[in-house]
Amino acid sequence: MAGNFWQSSHHQQWLLDKQDLIRERKHDLSILSEEEYQKIFIFFSSVIQTLGEQLKLRQQVIATATVYFKRFYARNSLKCIDPLLLAPTCIFLASKVEEFGVISNSRLISTCQTVIKNKFNYAYLQEFPYRTNHILECEFYLLENLDCCLIVYQPYRPLLQLVQDIGHEEQLLTLAWRVVNDSLRTDVSLLYPPYQIAIGCLQIACVILQKDQKAWFAELNVDIEKIQEIARYIINLFELWKTYDEKKEIQGLLSKMPKPKPAQQR
Amino acid sequence: MTAFMMDYEFKLKTQNERVKVEDLFNYEGCKVGRGTYGHVYKGRRKDSSDNRDYALKQIEGTGLSMSACREIALLRELKHSNVINLIRVFLSHNDRKVWLLFDFAEHDLWHIIKFHRAAKANKKPVMVPKGMVKSLLYQILDGIHYLHSNWVLHRDLKPANILVMGEGSERGRVKIADMGFARLFNAPLKPLADLDPVVVTFWYRAPELLLGARHYTKAIDIWAIGCIFAELLTSEPIFHCRQEDIKTSNPYHHDQLDRIFNVMGFPHEKDWEDIKKMPEHPTLLKDFKKSNYVNCSLIKYMDRHKIKPDSKAFHLLQKLLLMDPNKRITSEQAMQDGYFSEEPLPTQDVFAGCPIPYPKREFLTDDDQEEKSEKRQTQQQQQQQTQLPSQQQSQSQQLQSASNNDNHNNPAKRVRLSGQQLPGQVNSQNMPISQQTDFHQQHVMYNNTQQHNFSQRF
Ligand SMILES: Nc1ncnc2c1ncn2[C@@H]1O[C@H](COP(=O)(O)OP(=O)(O)O)[C@@H](O)[C@H]1O
Ligand SMILES: [Mg+2]
């Protein structure tokens, strides 16, 4: 579907606007501050990234899983489904869509167990509590909430083209690619089309490497304001990271996070 | 365990909002299709807000299989008049079934060709517009061109997956269906051959796949379209071959290659330079003798089926069925071919406003189900292929020559569709035999008598 972003469900249904996000998050933001909310999403993006790497998935699959995750909570409160369950479910679904093949259920669960135990024990003291049947049930809810829109366009492909156009620069590509990965920890994938995100990330990479590509950027026929907005989201993330110690704070944040409730006792 | 995975209120709310397929549609007892990946029912809305027919495909098995996932993911994005339209998806949480709702297509090429073959065997011609095959091919190419330009490969093109709309606003429109195998093909994340052991029914499978090609290409779909085109022209699967078991993890298939060479001749190295690079090339050299095929050519094969080597149809067929995938024509080029600018021009309604001679889909009873499953379909096709002609031995030279190639088959039981008078069939007693025996000939005949019918054009 690479030829057809403009007709895609991604373009037509899943480029949200800022006001939408604020409205949908009202409930969660009555409990968490905006920064706390973002920190929780940074954490689960890392969980998805780590799971994906452990499962040897390509970055494209990991990115798609992350976007599914963000899309679900763009429409639902964090309390609706435990994000610790939704994260591996997104991986499971994305790997099927992105042609990786079906990850075996037992491998997925055991990977979750080891990853939580070895890499995220600073956040979770207990072991990973879910089993295959939970993932499968959750998958139906996820698919429903995504409105069956499963093909997600990512900035990686346009980024490759842009860097090629600048003139093959390994260092620039590597850095810009990492900035795109970082951008998954922000809301940009919900708000902007992937080629704009690619340009925004490339611009940041150029600034970091102190490459003056102003003339080249000026020639791109894009909405510069949008690119600046994207860059701002990412720079804000970098700012936040400077002072944020996830290992110290995350347990507190997770316990403060709104959680699923069982049926009311009668 | 302490964590609650899902909020009760959320669960309740979504449960209440969720529409169930059985609340919206009547479809019980209305099964019309059974493929490898699903059961297809003909349904009507219960609230009679419209009285159109719908097709409801219940995906085989439970949960979201990879092929269900691919079909949903792709169909959700695709929109083209020659690609089946996915209206919505139902997820049935209780039994974990996935349902896909489509527009109902009354016909498909498998049934259409089967009907022609039966009619041919019974010497009863079918009245179809002269340009029907051309219109079918044009629309198949149009749909595939759309898929290919969106970086989607179909990979399972065969007559059963090419639907044709019946009476209604889209009368006679081709709909490419069954995207379960389809996949995006830019930047495959894994060599595609690793994913499904076997992809295309052997008869429609391109030679490079049979020789172990690791990656699927547009050219593979084009080959299958060439096979379908030939089958439309002759009513015989051009590369018909006995096959015991469809599922095998080995792409190399000796009998199928043998059949292709028997029709096409053995590929010369100058015609297909890269054949040397095929993984199974050594096996090919070991198993096959060029000299066995010196008298075979597509020209001769089609000529036996009354398709003239100098016709535009033949020329296009030859370009679709080039052995070298790199030389095979693209869908875009094919649509520009002179065949389509020659009278009769292709029409949007492949039936060109004429009565549709084919029976409507029948409901399958539970006993039928197994028999009509797609696995069996291929067996049936084989049986018909050999049985129908051979039961009428000596009636026609042409039929004999067609069946000669496959008469090594076991004399299996004859399959249904014998005898009974089918709707649309015309009594043909006073028509010359030479014009009754062949699908293609029948168009010509029909055209002679009903020329004024062909006005609606692209
Ligand atoms: N939209 C439809 N309308 C009418 N019949 C259909 C429709 N889709 C499929 N069928 C019938 O059901 C059969 C199986 O459907 P298909 O989508 O090919 O599933 P499978 O993946 O199991 O092969 C088809 O060959 C056709 O006869
Ligand atoms: Mg099918």
Side-chain angles (χ1 to χ4, degrees), chain A residues 192-257:
Chain A
Y192 303 94
Y195 76 95
Q196 287 183 357
I197 299 174
I199 296 169
C201 293
L202 187 59
Q203 203 175 48
I204 290 177
C206 285
V207 171
I208 295 174
L209 293 174
Q210 298 184 320
K211 280 192 197 304
D212 184 12
Q213 296 284 355
K214 281 205 184 65
W216 183 85
F217 278 107
E219 271 179 32
L220 290 175
N221 189 15
V222 286
D223 186 339
I224 287 297
E225 229 164 89
K226 289 276 189 297
I227 305 300
Q228 298 313 328
E229 285 172 29
I230 292 166
R232 177 79 359 236
Y233 272 97
I234 296 166
I235 290 163
N236 285 347
L237 173 74
F238 292 167
E239 291 296 316
L240 185 149
W241 264 334
K242 279 187 192 154
T243 57
Y244 170 43
D245 183 354
E246 187 174 81
K247 293 205 156 76
K248 274 202 198 123
E249 287 180 43
I250 195 66
Q251 273 198 26
L253 289 171
L254 290 177
S255 63
K256 191 174 173 190
M257 178 178 81

Side-chain angles (χ1 to χ4, degrees), chain B residues 302-408:
Chain B
M302 292 306 287
D303 204 41
R304 283 201 295 276
H305 287 276
K306 300 281 178 280
I307 303 299
K308 296 272 162 297
D310 58 355
S311 64
K312 289 235 162 59
F314 178 78
H315 281 293
L316 177 54
L317 178 67
Q318 206 168 29
K319 291 182 223 166
L320 294 164
L321 288 182
L322 281 173
M323 296 276 246
D324 182 349
N326 291 317
K327 294 184 179 150
R328 226 169 277 153
I329 195 170
T330 66
S331 51
E332 201 170 10
Q333 291 162 341
M335 288 169 71
Q336 302 300 318
D337 193 86
Y339 177 54
F340 297 112
S341 44
E342 181 183 76
E343 295 280 333
L345 298 183
T347 51
Q348 274 195 43
D349 169 5
V350 301
F351 307 116
C354 303
I356 301 174
Y358 311 109
K360 294 189 167 185
R361 288 184 191 278
E362 283 172 31
F363 295 139
L364 308 180
T365 65
D366 279 337
D367 315 336
D368 282 339
Q369 277 175 27
E370 275 309 296
E371 203 177 337
K372 287 221 179 171
S373 74
E374 221 167 274
K375 272 192 209 129
R376 299 295 173 103
Q377 280 185 7
T378 48
Q379 287 172 11
Q380 282 186 2
Q381 272 185 343
Q382 289 173 346
Q383 289 166 4
Q384 284 165 34
Q385 172 79 8
T386 52
Q387 281 307 113
L388 294 182
S390 60
Q391 282 188 345
Q392 322 208 356
Q393 273 168 14
S394 81
Q395 286 184 348
S396 146
Q397 281 298 91
Q398 194 187 340
L399 286 175
Q400 281 233 310
S401 65
S403 60
N404 275 346
N405 294 325
D406 344 88
N407 59 12
H408 54 277

Side-chain angles (χ1 to χ4, degrees), chain B residues 413-433:
Chain B
K413 282 186 293 289
R414 175 132 190 228
V415 285
R416 36 187 85 243
L417 69 53
S418 50
Q420 87 223 56
Q421 181 75 32
L422 296 159
Q425 222 164 281
V426 189
N427 189 331
S428 61
Q429 270 158 8
N430 44 17
M431 292 186 178
I433 288 232

Side-chain angles (χ1 to χ4, degrees), chain B residues 33 35-38 40 55 57 103-105 108 160-161 163 178 361 374:
Chain B
T36 21
Y37 287 90
V40 177
K57 176 166 168 177
D103 295 322
F104 186 77
D108 61 64
N161 289 338
L163 310 181
D178 199 356
R361 288 184 191 278
E374 221 167 274

